[in-house]
Amino acid sequence: MNPARYCVILCLFGAAFICCAVKGCRLAGPDRARIIARGEKIARVWRQLPAKRGRILDKKGKILVWSELYWDLHYNSSGESELSEDEQHALIELFGKIDFSVSPSTPLRRHLKPDELIALEPLLLKGAPLRIVVRHERLVCDSEAVRALAGKVELRNNVQSGISGWELENELLLRGIPGRYSILLDRFGNYMPKSFKMAVSPSDGKDLQLTEDLEEIEKKFKKEEK
Amino acid sequence: MKISLRGIIIFSMILLSFFGLLTILSSQSETDSPYYLVMRQLISFGAALFLMFLCSALPFSFFRKKALLLSGISLLAVLILPLLGTRINGMCGWFRYGSFSLQPTEIAKAFFLLGLVVLLKRFNKESLCFGAGLSYTLLWIAAIVIQPDFGTSFIYFAVFLSLIFVSGLRWRWLLGTIIPAAGAAVCFIYTHPYALKRLKAFLEPASSWHLQQLELASARGGWFGSKIGHALWSNAYLPLPYNDSAYATLTETIGFTGALLVLLLFVLLLAALSILALRRDLTQESRLFAAGAAIIIGVQTLLHIGVNLSLLPPTGLTLPLISYGGSSLTGCGILLGIVLSAAKNKEK
């Protein structure tokens, strides 16, 4: 045993430990913000939170057209991972027959009910490659005249935009401003818990109050139809 | 109050294992059963402590006499791995029985070192010492490379190289080993595309996804870390956060301050082993064994931490006493137990 030579090895160890400490110190201090920003770029995704479109009311304040909030179940966007047999089994148990061959843009299940959302939570927290997409659907009261005159909306980037009738004519008033939120996704494209950040809250569209009531609208419509 | 070297070694071992449990808990916080691996590691920790105290109770002369037998049995276990072992992550390095698995190369480190120390001191002639030691080491490395586990074989080679250096053999033997080994390493890198890819990624860190994630996990920890069990990045992005990426997970959990404390604990452990290696009242074999144990733990620790801080290309080595793995922990327990036994083996 040569003590001098052993001390050479100890010196090398010491130098290596100092290098590690210095690098660790840099990562915790001066370089931290830059590196975290780089990581956020990799993992943080920005998504839109749709604003609720304004309602259309008649002169008396009766709601003719309105939006309802729905939750749909989709595959997550990465497409890298597939549902395991257990996960498929859990979904079948929850919803009955389900078509697993759909693309990520098509919902696996539409209009999830609150109890279904609660039942899905454990599966999502376990990292199943699924996501829940929030969507507003436009509904019209039971009136042929209103259905014809109100026009239609189209979903563009998850935002309802009027394409005909009152919806198009009053687009600026009815359309709200969608919000923006961000989440971190893991390497499999799954949501990382506790990473939600709301950047801009959505501001809902304003209601449109018509100058005629429902009866007058229907009468006018029938007359025009004749 | 007199603090003994024995006390320092046991204290460091226990405290480092505690940090290991913390790392494993943090790496599993977002999973279905966060305590499963912690409980398994706790059982392994009990086994490691038991084996450490058992080995320390036995006289070093027992290990010296049985060195080649113990080493032979371990080598045989490593050799039959390709026939009876289980392949995990492309490496046939485990015996598996139900949920119990055993990685012989981790447990065998102490016995490899024991055999090498005995061989280096068996012959009077320098060339014979070197020849026996080299043949013995190459046999081990060949058995490990078959798995293939290049990281562990590198540790074995580094131990051999360091021991022939500290045992006082002439420089020509050292250079005669380093030059062909460097040539073999270059050939290996050029014939294994994944090794070349890792090296290139290391030289261009911006293109290395793995190294970036390791840096990110450490950076997120900052000075004082995120909450315990809230190692978000390690859970989501690091490959094997409780094993190959244990130091980065630990840094994310307890921050640079805590990670520095772990570094200092390793320094303390190595200092205690080195004091034993330099003590003149111990036999040459005991001193060489203590030096070898310090080198095994030191090299593996520095390689693991170096990789986790993006100072070295990825190697896939675990962090002694901290990373998850019963074989690794019990292997460390046996190694430190034999060192404690060697510490009692004084020159007559």
Side-chain angles (χ1 to χ4, degrees):
Chain A
M1 177 79 187
N2 185 326
R5 284 191 181 184
Y6 186 66
C7 288
V8 172
I9 289 184
L10 287 183
C11 288
L12 290 175
F13 277 176
F17 272 114
I18 289 168
C19 283
C20 290
V22 169
K23 178 74 194 251
C25 185
R26 285 185 64 91
L27 289 176
D31 292 348
R32 186 168 185 250
R34 182 178 56 82
I35 290 168
I36 288 179
R38 199 174 66 195
E40 293 269 314
K41 228 175 172 179
I42 297 168
R44 191 164 285 283
V45 290
W46 291 88
R47 289 197 174 145
Q48 215 174 54
L49 203 58
K52 198 169 181 180
R53 196 172 171 82
R55 297 171 302 177
I56 300 177
L57 317 167
D58 73 356
K59 199 170 118 186
K60 290 176 183 168
K62 183 176 181 182
I63 302 166
L64 306 178
V65 184
W66 72 99
S67 289
E68 284 279 355
L69 191 65
Y70 288 106
W71 291 273
D72 294 340
L73 180 67
H74 285 252
Y75 279 121
N76 72 8
S77 47
S78 79
E80 276 176 25
S81 42
E82 287 178 355
L83 284 174
S84 69
E85 265 184 35
D86 286 350
E87 288 160 352
Q88 288 191 5
H89 188 72
L91 287 181
I92 290 168
E93 220 168 67
L94 202 62
F95 302 120
K97 201 177 170 191
I98 202 164
D99 180 14
F100 292 106
S101 60
V102 296
S103 68
S105 58
T106 313
L108 276 163
R109 178 88 182 178
R110 292 170 75 89
H111 299 184
L112 296 171
K113 294 177 198 124
D115 59 327
E116 289 173 334
L117 282 169
I118 293 165
L120 273 171
E121 195 184 353
L123 200 62
L124 292 166
L125 288 176
K126 272 184 209 167
L130 298 167
R131 66 185 170 123
I132 290 168
V133 175
V134 183
R135 175 176 58 81
H136 286 110
E137 199 167 289
R138 204 65 171 156
L139 301 172
V140 183
C141 70
D142 189 18
S143 158
E144 199 188 332
V146 175
R147 253 197 301 277
L149 294 168
K152 286 188 175 170
V153 291
E154 190 183 65
L155 212 59
R156 291 180 194 149
N157 297 326
N158 212 20
V159 175
Q160 289 177 325
S161 305
I163 54 166
S164 60
W166 297 336
E167 298 278 9
L168 179 63
E169 283 163 25
N170 301 283
E171 173 64 10
L172 286 177
L173 179 78
L174 293 168
R175 187 182 64 190
I177 302 165
R180 265 164 72 78
Y181 70 95
S182 71
I183 50 168
L184 293 174
L185 295 183
D186 70 9
R187 60 195 155 133
F188 303 113
N190 296 323
Y191 165 66
M192 283 158 70
K194 301 157 199 161
S195 67
F196 177 86
K197 269 187 198 169
M198 176 70 85
V200 183
S201 300
S203 62
D204 293 345
K206 292 194 172 64
D207 291 345
L208 165 70
Q209 184 137 30
L210 301 172
T211 50
E212 293 162 321
D213 64 23
L214 182 58
E215 283 170 13
E216 287 168 347
I217 292 167
E218 280 177 338
K219 269 184 203 167
K220 206 171 163 186
F221 179 71
K222 275 178 191 167
K223 209 171 154 188
E224 276 176 17
E225 222 179 16
K226 278 176 190 174
Chain B
M1 190 175 73
K2 197 183 169 190
I3 301 168
S4 67
L5 286 177
R6 183 186 166 86
I8 291 174
I9 291 171
I10 295 169
F11 168 76
S12 325
M13 190 264 187
I14 292 173
L15 216 54
L16 284 169
S17 303
F18 164 74
F19 277 110
L21 292 171
L22 192 70
T23 306
I24 297 162
L25 181 67
S26 277
S27 74
Q28 297 293 294
S29 57
E30 302 297 341
T31 63
D32 224 5
S33 42
Y35 298 104
Y36 177 70
L37 292 186
V38 176
M39 291 314 290
R40 282 182 69 113
Q41 186 76 348
L42 205 58
I43 294 167
S44 303
F45 173 63
L49 263 188
F50 170 74
L51 286 170
M52 184 171 79
F53 286 119
L54 181 74
C55 290
S56 71
L58 293 169
F60 191 67
S61 57
F62 167 80
F63 291 110
R64 205 183 55 226
K65 278 179 202 154
K66 307 279 180 201
L68 294 180
L69 177 71
L70 289 168
S71 171
I73 293 169
S74 314
L75 182 60
L76 193 68
V78 176
L79 278 170
I80 59 168
L81 267 173
L83 300 172
L84 303 173
T86 305
R87 194 168 286 275
I88 300 173
N89 295 332
M91 196 179 96
C92 192
W94 288 265
F95 289 121
R96 198 159 221 184
Y97 186 76
S99 64
F100 174 77
S101 60
L102 183 95
Q103 193 179 5
T105 47
E106 288 293 333
I107 293 180
K109 275 178 192 157
F111 302 127
F112 160 76
L113 177 63
L114 199 60
L116 186 61
V117 166
V118 168
L119 279 177
L120 288 178
K121 288 288 153 200
R122 174 162 285 197
F123 305 102
N124 291 328
K125 213 172 166 188
E126 211 173 72
S127 58
L128 275 176
C129 276
F130 175 76
L134 182 65
S135 316
Y136 171 80
T137 307
L138 288 179
L139 194 62
W140 271 93
I141 289 176
I144 299 168
V145 163
I146 295 170
Q147 294 179 10
D149 181 358
F150 298 109
T152 306
S153 45
F154 176 78
I155 299 282
Y156 279 59
F157 183 72
V159 171
F160 167 71
L161 210 60
S162 311
L163 277 198
I164 60 167
F165 178 63
V166 296
S167 64
L169 262 61
R170 270 177 283 183
W171 280 96
R172 63 176 177 185
W173 301 116
L174 199 69
L175 293 175
T177 313
I178 290 174
I179 293 166
V186 172
C187 284
F188 170 77
I189 289 168
Y190 278 99
T191 51
H192 290 74
Y194 82 90
L196 190 62
K197 202 175 149 193
R198 281 184 182 185
L199 191 68
K200 277 184 180 166
F202 170 69
L203 297 172
E204 270 178 70
S207 66
S208 171
W209 189 89
H210 189 170
L211 292 179
Q212 282 187 19
Q213 302 314 317
L214 288 166
E215 272 193 343
L216 262 162
S218 302
R220 282 181 77 92
W223 295 110
F224 301 105
S226 40
K227 272 186 283 179
I228 303 288
H230 195 73
L232 193 69
W233 208 265
S234 307
N235 271 284
Y237 275 92
L238 291 189
L240 298 172
Y242 47 83
N243 204 302
D244 293 3
S245 313
Y247 188 75
T249 308
L250 184 74
T251 311
E252 191 184 358
T253 309
I254 56 175
F256 172 71
T257 323
L260 188 66
L261 180 68
V262 170
L263 265 185
L264 292 175
L265 276 171
F266 274 113
V267 171
L268 185 72
L269 179 63
L270 294 186
L273 294 174
S274 300
I275 291 170
L276 283 178
L278 295 170
R279 254 172 59 178
R280 289 181 190 280
D281 59 334
L282 296 181
T283 63
Q284 283 290 319
E285 281 163 340
S286 305
R287 292 172 67 187
L288 213 50
F289 187 86
I295 289 162
I296 287 179
I297 293 172
V299 169
Q300 195 168 335
T301 301
L302 286 167
L303 283 176
H304 177 98
I305 295 176
V307 170
N308 276 251
L309 291 171
S310 300
L311 289 167
L312 294 170
T315 55
L317 282 170
T318 57
L319 183 59
L321 299 166
I322 301 243
S323 288
Y324 172 74
S327 308
S328 171
L329 195 56
T330 46
C332 281
I334 294 171
L335 185 70
L336 294 176
I338 301 176
V339 171
L340 294 177
S341 162
K344 293 182 279 187
N345 187 37
K346 296 197 173 161
E347 197 91 68
K348 282 168 192 163

